[in-house]
Amino acid sequence: MDIIVFLILVGLVVAALEPHHRKTFRLPRAPFGADAEVDRDLERVLHDAPIAH
């Protein structure tokens, strides 16, 4: 019984501390897709991938 209580307490501590360990925890939030204009992934993919004819 003690092991079950201990595991539950450890799980609660991990769940409580998890948001503080994210890389973007204190960064300002932007709407989803707000950086689409500056995203150059598609340009890189189109440059690197050969065009199939």
Side-chain angles (χ1 to χ4, degrees), residues 25-48:
F25 175 64
R26 297 229 182 243
L27 295 177
R29 301 285 186 238
F32 182 73
D35 61 346
E37 295 85 29
V38 296
D39 188 14
R40 296 190 57 208
D41 286 339
L42 180 60
E43 187 178 328
R44 287 185 192 109
V45 168
L46 293 176
H47 177 266
D48 293 341

Side-chain angles (χ1 to χ4, degrees), residues 10-24:
V10 169
L12 289 173
V13 169
V14 169
L17 294 178
E18 189 269 333
H20 296 285
H21 291 283
R22 293 183 186 153
K23 292 181 180 179
T24 60

